[in-house]
mmCIF file of all heavy atoms in Angstrom:
data_model
loop_
_atom_site.group_PDB
_atom_site.id
_atom_site.type_symbol
_atom_site.label_atom_id
_atom_site.label_comp_id
_atom_site.label_asym_id
_atom_site.label_seq_id
_atom_site.Cartn_x
_atom_site.Cartn_y
_atom_site.Cartn_z
ATOM 1 N N LEU A 22 215.611 33.964 242.963
ATOM 2 C CA LEU A 22 216.007 35.317 243.353
ATOM 3 C C LEU A 22 217.285 35.281 244.190
ATOM 4 O O LEU A 22 218.165 36.116 243.998
ATOM 5 C CB LEU A 22 214.874 35.986 244.146
ATOM 6 C CG LEU A 22 213.652 36.433 243.337
ATOM 7 C CD1 LEU A 22 212.505 36.842 244.268
ATOM 8 C CD2 LEU A 22 214.010 37.561 242.384
ATOM 9 N N CYS A 25 220.219 34.703 241.851
ATOM 10 C CA CYS A 25 220.573 35.852 240.991
ATOM 11 C C CYS A 25 221.359 36.921 241.735
ATOM 12 O O CYS A 25 222.135 37.640 241.117
ATOM 13 C CB CYS A 25 219.304 36.455 240.374
ATOM 14 S SG CYS A 25 218.555 35.370 239.158
ATOM 15 N N GLY A 26 221.116 37.060 243.023
ATOM 16 C CA GLY A 26 221.906 37.989 243.828
ATOM 17 C C GLY A 26 221.454 39.441 243.839
ATOM 18 O O GLY A 26 221.955 40.210 244.639
ATOM 19 N N LEU A 27 220.533 39.839 242.990
ATOM 20 C CA LEU A 27 220.125 41.237 242.938
ATOM 21 C C LEU A 27 219.477 41.709 244.236
ATOM 22 O O LEU A 27 219.652 42.844 244.666
ATOM 23 C CB LEU A 27 219.154 41.473 241.773
ATOM 24 C CG LEU A 27 218.664 42.908 241.580
ATOM 25 C CD1 LEU A 27 219.799 43.783 241.059
ATOM 26 C CD2 LEU A 27 217.482 42.957 240.629
ATOM 27 N N LEU A 28 218.752 40.814 244.893
ATOM 28 C CA LEU A 28 218.006 41.184 246.089
ATOM 29 C C LEU A 28 218.659 40.645 247.372
ATOM 30 O O LEU A 28 217.976 40.322 248.343
ATOM 31 C CB LEU A 28 216.557 40.697 245.969
ATOM 32 C CG LEU A 28 215.787 41.211 244.744
ATOM 33 C CD1 LEU A 28 214.375 40.655 244.718
ATOM 34 C CD2 LEU A 28 215.767 42.733 244.716
ATOM 35 N N ASP A 29 219.981 40.599 247.381
ATOM 36 C CA ASP A 29 220.706 40.074 248.544
ATOM 37 C C ASP A 29 220.466 40.871 249.818
ATOM 38 O O ASP A 29 220.685 40.370 250.916
ATOM 39 C CB ASP A 29 222.212 40.045 248.263
ATOM 40 C CG ASP A 29 222.612 38.885 247.354
ATOM 41 O OD1 ASP A 29 221.773 37.996 247.116
ATOM 42 O OD2 ASP A 29 223.767 38.880 246.881
ATOM 43 N N SER A 30 220.005 42.120 249.692
ATOM 44 C CA SER A 30 219.787 42.968 250.882
ATOM 45 C C SER A 30 218.503 42.588 251.628
ATOM 46 O O SER A 30 218.286 43.052 252.750
ATOM 47 C CB SER A 30 219.737 44.444 250.472
ATOM 48 O OG SER A 30 218.633 44.658 249.604
ATOM 49 N N LEU A 31 217.668 41.746 251.037
ATOM 50 C CA LEU A 31 216.422 41.360 251.699
ATOM 51 C C LEU A 31 216.663 40.219 252.686
ATOM 52 O O LEU A 31 217.504 39.357 252.458
ATOM 53 C CB LEU A 31 215.376 40.896 250.660
ATOM 54 C CG LEU A 31 214.541 41.997 250.016
ATOM 55 C CD1 LEU A 31 215.368 42.876 249.112
ATOM 56 C CD2 LEU A 31 213.397 41.395 249.229
ATOM 57 N N THR A 32 215.919 40.244 253.789
ATOM 58 C CA THR A 32 215.978 39.147 254.771
ATOM 59 C C THR A 32 215.304 37.919 254.121
ATOM 60 O O THR A 32 214.544 38.055 253.144
ATOM 61 C CB THR A 32 215.224 39.503 256.057
ATOM 62 O OG1 THR A 32 213.822 39.626 255.752
ATOM 63 C CG2 THR A 32 215.764 40.794 256.675
ATOM 64 N N LEU A 36 212.435 38.147 251.257
ATOM 65 C CA LEU A 36 212.649 37.517 249.965
ATOM 66 C C LEU A 36 211.493 36.576 249.619
ATOM 67 O O LEU A 36 211.011 36.573 248.482
ATOM 68 C CB LEU A 36 213.989 36.776 249.957
ATOM 69 C CG LEU A 36 214.577 36.440 248.616
ATOM 70 C CD1 LEU A 36 214.845 37.712 247.801
ATOM 71 C CD2 LEU A 36 215.860 35.655 248.773
ATOM 72 N N ALA A 39 208.574 38.808 248.699
ATOM 73 C CA ALA A 39 208.748 39.401 247.363
ATOM 74 C C ALA A 39 208.544 38.366 246.266
ATOM 75 O O ALA A 39 207.968 38.675 245.214
ATOM 76 C CB ALA A 39 210.145 40.016 247.255
ATOM 77 N N PHE A 43 206.545 37.855 241.819
ATOM 78 C CA PHE A 43 207.262 37.567 240.575
ATOM 79 C C PHE A 43 206.644 36.393 239.844
ATOM 80 O O PHE A 43 205.980 35.553 240.458
ATOM 81 C CB PHE A 43 208.741 37.220 240.872
ATOM 82 C CG PHE A 43 209.618 38.390 241.170
ATOM 83 C CD1 PHE A 43 209.629 38.962 242.440
ATOM 84 C CD2 PHE A 43 210.444 38.934 240.197
ATOM 85 C CE1 PHE A 43 210.456 40.039 242.732
ATOM 86 C CE2 PHE A 43 211.276 40.006 240.474
ATOM 87 C CZ PHE A 43 211.273 40.558 241.741
ATOM 88 N N ILE A 66 214.647 39.803 235.564
ATOM 89 C CA ILE A 66 215.949 39.444 236.114
ATOM 90 C C ILE A 66 216.305 38.112 235.460
ATOM 91 O O ILE A 66 215.519 37.151 235.524
ATOM 92 C CB ILE A 66 215.929 39.286 237.650
ATOM 93 C CG1 ILE A 66 215.429 40.566 238.315
ATOM 94 C CG2 ILE A 66 217.317 38.908 238.156
ATOM 95 C CD1 ILE A 66 215.136 40.404 239.813
ATOM 96 N N LYS A 139 212.761 47.932 249.720
ATOM 97 C CA LYS A 139 214.077 47.273 249.591
ATOM 98 C C LYS A 139 214.299 46.767 248.157
ATOM 99 O O LYS A 139 215.401 46.823 247.634
ATOM 100 C CB LYS A 139 214.201 46.134 250.578
ATOM 101 C CG LYS A 139 214.529 46.591 251.994
ATOM 102 C CD LYS A 139 214.847 45.391 252.863
ATOM 103 C CE LYS A 139 215.520 45.795 254.146
ATOM 104 N NZ LYS A 139 215.891 44.617 254.955
ATOM 105 N N VAL A 140 213.233 46.260 247.524
ATOM 106 C CA VAL A 140 213.328 45.809 246.140
ATOM 107 C C VAL A 140 213.659 46.993 245.239
ATOM 108 O O VAL A 140 214.577 46.930 244.401
ATOM 109 C CB VAL A 140 212.030 45.105 245.681
ATOM 110 C CG1 VAL A 140 212.011 44.879 244.179
ATOM 111 C CG2 VAL A 140 211.840 43.791 246.427
ATOM 112 N N ALA A 143 217.232 48.102 245.710
ATOM 113 C CA ALA A 143 218.178 47.185 245.048
ATOM 114 C C ALA A 143 218.213 47.466 243.540
ATOM 115 O O ALA A 143 219.294 47.464 242.920
ATOM 116 C CB ALA A 143 217.804 45.731 245.329
ATOM 117 N N ILE A 144 217.049 47.713 242.958
ATOM 118 C CA ILE A 144 216.974 48.027 241.524
ATOM 119 C C ILE A 144 217.696 49.348 241.265
ATOM 120 O O ILE A 144 218.473 49.455 240.303
ATOM 121 C CB ILE A 144 215.498 48.094 241.067
ATOM 122 C CG1 ILE A 144 214.857 46.712 241.120
ATOM 123 C CG2 ILE A 144 215.401 48.680 239.665
ATOM 124 C CD1 ILE A 144 213.339 46.722 241.032
#
Side-chain angles (χ1 to χ4, degrees):
L22 287 170
C25 291
L27 181 71
L28 303 179
D29 284 349
S30 63
L31 275 68
T32 66
L36 199 60
F43 283 81
I66 303 170
K139 282 188 164 183
V140 169
I144 292 166

